[in-house]
Amino acid sequence: MVSIEMIVAARARLRGHARRTPLLSSPFLDEIAGRRLFIKAECLQHTGSFKFRGGWSAVSALEPAVLERGVIAFSSGNHAQGVALAAKLHGVPSVIIMPSDAPKLKISNTRALGAEVVLYDRATEDRDAIGARLSEERRLTLIKPFDEPQVIAGQGTTGLEIAEQAEEEGVTSAEVLVPCGGGGLTSGIALALEASTPDFRVRPCEPEGFDDTTRSLASGKIEHNATLSGSICDAIITPQPGNITFPILKRLAGPGIVVTDEEALRAMALAFTRLKIVVEPGGAVALAAALFHGEQLQEDAAIVVTSGGNVDAEMFGRALAQG
């Protein structure tokens, strides 16, 4: 359902709208990791995360008559902001369904981008049901956060950039560590790298207790998380891998890597100290995996995606204090 041709087409539509985020490095981080590390700083993307890529890709692919009615999405914050900005730039309305416990910064930013925000309790309410009802009532097009081909294609443009930037750095083989929730970014990057750099292997990274993708890859079937709250890595907490994304990951990804919340906080502090970038907890899990679980890696080089930087001041202060 998603092809390299779709990813290339998404890149053409994103040209002039998305940033080509940098590939950063630090000898201090290399020393901790015991290998060469390159950090793909998607926290510097528009709206502070890679989600703008998928949001723009999906919105820009809609037929004009459909687009004019507006779009709806559900998200803890990063997909929300990506879709809200894409809709605003296209001049169409957006409704975003967000969990009530999402970081206040993400909720306020989404509203500031012109979206109507509908809050729900993620422990007792079904966001899919809410989204289906509102999209039908208002004739809005639902843009799913990860299990949507055009969203995956947009996220896959990150992989095209990684391949180009790795070549510029002389890297010919590497493991590519990606924060993984539903798998849209991870599967999109995997598809892009399969076509351009087959010696690169994607590794999904997740927080402890919410490692549905890691367990699914180990068992060969989709596994579920027992709960949807209890980690500071809110951006990548999902019930299960996607029905579209998991087959891609099953075919192309290596084993998942699981990190603790404390390791994510330490990675946030090191990213700020050594790279001068701000990363949120969920966006830091791949860096934490590279820094603190290097025994699970096989290549001499690792490329790490820091997928988002939308973090409240209180949580960021906690990270700096721990780091």
Side-chain angles (χ1 to χ4, degrees):
M1 298 179 68
V2 189
S3 64
I4 185 61
E5 289 77 16
M6 287 178 64
I7 296 173
V8 171
R11 184 177 196 178
R13 296 196 306 277
L14 278 159
R15 189 167 290 118
H17 302 287
R19 293 174 178 149
R20 186 182 192 257
T21 54
L23 196 67
L24 306 175
S25 62
S26 162
F28 298 101
L29 297 184
D30 289 354
E31 184 175 355
I32 296 171
R35 56 179 40 82
R36 296 177 71 196
L37 284 191
F38 297 91
I39 292 81
K40 178 65 169 168
E42 279 296 295
C43 49
L44 300 178
Q45 188 54 260
H46 294 305
T47 71
S49 92
F50 73 95
K51 291 287 191 176
F52 177 73
R53 296 177 185 265
W56 183 276
S57 173
V59 170
S60 64
L62 294 175
E63 293 293 332
V66 175
L67 176 60
E68 187 176 348
R69 295 198 296 266
V71 297
I72 186 170
F74 41 79
S75 164
S76 66
N78 288 336
H79 180 62
Q81 293 173 79
V83 171
L85 179 57
K88 180 180 181 179
L89 294 176
H90 280 85
V92 300
S94 63
V95 177
I96 310 295
I97 304 163
M98 303 183 69
S100 56
D101 63 347
K104 294 178 182 178
L105 176 67
K106 295 182 179 182
I107 295 174
S108 62
N109 282 352
T110 303
R111 286 181 172 140
L113 290 169
E116 175 188 345
V117 174
V118 176
L119 299 177
Y120 77 100
D121 186 331
R122 72 165 99 205
T124 62
E125 296 181 282
D126 184 348
R127 69 179 186 179
D128 296 279
I130 297 171
R133 175 176 57 80
L134 289 176
S135 60
E136 182 177 357
E137 289 175 355
R138 305 191 192 183
R139 300 180 67 211
L140 303 170
T141 298
L142 176 62
I143 298 179
K144 297 179 181 180
F146 52 84
D147 229 17
E148 160 58 48
Q150 288 295 354
V151 169
I152 297 170
Q155 321 303 28
T157 63
T158 312
L160 297 180
E161 292 179 15
I162 287 173
E164 294 169 352
Q165 292 167 314
E167 183 178 10
E168 293 167 5
E169 295 286 349
V171 179
T172 57
S173 63
E175 290 172 281
V176 181
L177 280 59
V178 187
C180 187
L185 177 63
T186 317
S187 62
I189 289 176
L191 286 169
L193 296 179
E194 177 190 31
S196 55
T197 49
D199 289 334
F200 284 21
R201 183 173 68 157
V202 164
R203 301 289 299 274
C205 302
E206 298 175 290
E208 189 176 64
F210 302 89
D211 56 346
D212 47 299
T213 296
T214 298
R215 289 183 287 109
S216 297
L217 290 172
S219 70
K221 62 181 181 180
I222 290 179
E223 304 285 352
H224 302 256
N225 284 323
T227 180
L228 294 178
S229 62
S231 171
I232 61 173
C233 301
D234 64 281
I236 56 173
I237 301 303
T238 53
Q240 63 182 65
N243 293 321
I244 298 175
T245 60
F246 179 63
I248 299 170
L249 296 177
K250 185 177 179 180
R251 182 171 67 85
L252 295 176
I257 304 174
V258 180
V259 306
T260 66
D261 282 359
E262 290 70 26
E263 288 169 337
L265 289 170
R266 288 170 60 198
M268 291 169 62
L270 286 166
F272 179 72
T273 303
R274 300 305 183 186
L275 300 172
K276 311 307 177 189
I277 59 174
V278 174
V279 188
E280 65 189 277
V285 295
L287 180 58
L291 293 173
F292 310 127
H293 295 270
E295 75 283 353
Q296 297 186 44
L297 303 179
Q298 298 176 351
E299 297 288 343
D300 293 332
I303 299 172
V304 172
V305 179
T306 52
S307 55
N310 293 307
V311 57
D312 288 343
E314 181 180 355
M315 181 63 70
F316 192 61
R318 178 180 165 187
L320 296 183
Q322 178 152 334

